[in-house]
Each structure stands twice: as structure tokens, then as C-alpha cells.
Amino acid sequence: MTSYVKRVGDLTDEDGFVDCAYATEASTDSAFDPVTKPLHYAGHTGIDCKSAMESMLGTEAYVSHMQACAFKYIWRWRDKNGIEDLKKARECIGNMIRAIEGDGDE
């Protein structure tokens, strides 16, 4: 296991096994939502993919990525997931606004 994983919240015990109690809890967490917090974006440590992405890319590149995602969801909404894709586009735009405004961290 790398030191990076240890820093961000490694879920393995000293023998290298994943804490099954956490994995079960995460998979049934009602806070997960297909639009705002999809379970498959939580990763094995529970770290939100969007947060990790913004940290890695920086705000400018993250905002550009969210803009491209919003465009994709708006482009395909009628042919793929309907209203859910419009909600995903709205979520991407909200992510852009939060990143630009600094989410109140300052």
C-alpha cells in the first residue's frame, strides 16, 4: 500500500484486508444518489471522485471538465437518460459554480 493511500484514509487493516463493515455500510448509504453522489464514484476509500479530481487538476481544469460533462449530458438527454441527464448537467454546473466561488472556504 502506498503512503498516499494511507494519508487519504486507507480502509485495509494491518494484514491488508479491506474493512468489510465499512464496505457494506458505504454500499447501503442512503446519501448516495445517481445524480449528485453516485456510489460508483466513491472509490474504495469513500473519497468523492469530484473532490479528488479538483484536488489533482486544480480549479481551472476541473471547471473545464465539469463544463464538458454538462455539455455531454445536455447533448444526449433525449436519447439516453432523459430528465436524469438534465439533472446531472445541472449538478455539473453547480460544481463549476462552487469551485469558482471557492465553496465558502476562504
Side-chain angles (χ1 to χ4, degrees):
M1 199 60 52
T2 67
S3 61
Y4 173 77
V5 173
K6 295 288 186 191
R7 281 197 314 266
V8 296
D10 183 21
L11 299 179
T12 58
D13 62 18
E14 59 274 358
D15 297 322
F17 296 104
V18 173
D19 180 357
C20 293
Y22 175 82
T24 302
E25 178 183 319
S27 65
T28 60
D29 188 343
S30 63
F32 289 99
D33 175 279
V35 173
T36 61
K37 196 171 183 181
L39 181 60
H40 60 280
Y41 280 8
H44 73 279
T45 61
I47 296 170
D48 180 63
C49 179
K50 293 177 279 192
S51 298
M53 186 181 296
E54 183 177 6
S55 177
M56 179 188 73
L57 295 175
T59 300
E60 187 175 335
Y62 174 75
V63 167
S64 293
H65 174 73
M66 285 292 127
Q67 181 178 356
C69 288
F71 176 82
K72 170 189 71 175
Y73 289 126
I74 291 169
W75 184 270
R76 74 180 196 191
W77 79 274
R78 289 184 192 270
D79 299 320
K80 191 165 182 192
N81 296 320
I83 296 296
E84 185 176 301
D85 273 358
L86 292 176
K87 290 178 181 179
K88 288 179 180 181
R90 181 175 58 195
E91 176 70 13
C92 290
I93 293 167
N95 292 335
M96 292 168 65
I97 292 168
R98 281 188 292 281
I100 292 166
E101 291 180 342
D103 201 24
D105 292 342
E106 296 174 43

